[in-house]
Amino acid sequence: MQFWNELEGQVIDGVYPLRRLVRSEGRSAWFETETSDPRPVPATISLTEALTDADEVVARLEAAQHLNHPNLVSITKVGQVRVDNTLVVYALMEPIEQSLSDVLQSQALTADEGREVAEALVGGLTAIHQNGMSHGRVEAASVLATQETVKLRSDCLHLSAAGQGDDVAGIGTTLFHAFTQRKGLTATDAQINRIPAPFAEIIRNSFARRWTLAQVSNALKPVLPVASVIPPPPVPTPVPAPPPRAATPPVPPPPPRAAAAPPPPVARPVPPAPRPPVSTPPIAERLTTPPIPAARAALLEEDDEPVTKRRPFALYGAIAVVVLAILGWLLMRPHSEPAPATAPQTAAQPAAPPPAVAEEAPAPKPTAAKPSAAKTPATKPTAAKPSPLSPGTAASGAEGRAIWRVVAYTYKGQTKADDMVSKINEKHSNLGAEVFSPKGGDYLVTVGGPMDHDQATKMLDKARRAGLPEDSYVQNFSR
């Protein structure tokens, strides 16, 4: 039979054209295709080369076709056809956008995305195991995305339940790959500790075959807050209403009080009545009268003449009192002014020296300008104590400089570490891989040897571009 990519452009069973080759694995391959009933609809078709087990392959695909679960890729049709004189079993499936393996080539999953993948694996495998079958290929390449839903491929099922334990263990390896972008997993891998909860626990127990699907499902359930498990408070017993009290007789209205005396009328300005020329109205009455017209000015001057004549006497008396008070103050005040000195004597004599007391007790200087002893950092800066892990200020090694290394792998035994060093040096001799064990601890596979922090950062980028794990890191080994 030809290579799978040479089948692009052919038509299967006279109905399904083979478009782009999506993936190939041994004697199976997936192609993009479409259905034309009643209009073209995108789909995916799986082809399996069946030499002697065509009936078995058809039976497995038909059993998967009857499974109806939202986390399993649905199969709509199963058939057989000859391609280049080779019997091929095909399965028409729903369209597939991409696989988890494709996503992990560029980035790892977040905690929310990992939960979605784990729940899809548990849901799909539960439906398969309940029907007495096993999946057989639980891995990142089998986790597919179809129309915003994570699903597990179903064209590789086995009609036996013997492989169900391997399916549960595959959950651990798939989640480890999803969070670390590494396929290899061991029971003592220290990188599991960096995976968020509850996925680290699920990976350990499922990979070690200690958990079942039900236990994995329980670990994925969200933990209820404490407030939600507190029983509600007891319903209070209704208290009977008190008996109605006797009607209180209405209180008679208070007797009407005597009408308050009306306020005295406010005096309003009234035009003055014509007065005889000889009579003078009181002063209060004149203060409440409106302005007097100019035509009556002559009459008013004549009426006020006796009053104006009495005003100078009161004014003279007040002035006299003020003058007497000033004279008394001048006579009675104490004579405290110093005797004036003559101008010639002051000019001839030199200035007197300041008293000795003024020299002994000078004016104190302001304390704000003098630095206190408690503010020594302001006058003499002290270098901050370097952190043992900060770049450039780390503790120095024997040569007086910081020693940084790029760590790619961690092993408990030296043999595995040596093997990994040999593999790296065979492919990338320019990385200088070696085994480093700090003071009898784990055996670390490092590249580049001892460096300063900047060199180690550049070596880390170089190692990742060469294909070393993305979780490689730099660490200070100066101490």
Side-chain angles (χ1 to χ4, degrees), residues 300-389:
L300 182 60
E301 291 178 358
E302 294 178 359
D303 294 341
D304 293 344
E305 183 178 358
V307 179
T308 57
K309 290 181 180 180
R310 290 193 297 269
R311 286 179 182 174
F313 297 102
L315 177 62
Y316 296 154
I319 293 173
V321 172
V322 172
V323 171
L324 292 176
I326 294 173
L327 292 176
W329 177 78
L330 293 174
L331 295 175
M332 298 300 294
R333 65 173 181 169
H335 299 280
S336 58
E337 295 138 4
T342 60
Q345 293 176 354
T346 305
Q349 294 178 357
V357 178
E359 295 179 356
E360 295 177 357
K365 296 182 180 180
T367 57
K370 182 179 181 180
S372 61
K375 298 182 178 180
T376 52
T379 58
K380 184 178 180 180
T382 304
K385 186 178 180 180
S387 171
L389 296 182

Side-chain angles (χ1 to χ4, degrees), residues 393-446:
T393 61
S396 300
E399 295 82 3
R401 63 183 183 88
I403 298 177
W404 295 78
R405 294 177 181 272
V406 178
V407 181
Y409 297 94
T410 303
Y411 294 95
K412 293 294 184 180
Q414 184 175 1
T415 303
K416 293 184 178 181
D418 292 337
D419 294 341
M420 180 54 67
V421 167
S422 300
K423 293 179 181 180
I424 296 175
N425 288 331
E426 288 178 1
K427 295 182 179 180
H428 309 286
S429 59
N430 59 336
L431 295 180
E434 62 181 2
V435 177
F436 175 69
S437 179
K439 295 183 180 180
D442 294 337
Y443 292 91
L444 311 179
V445 176
T446 64

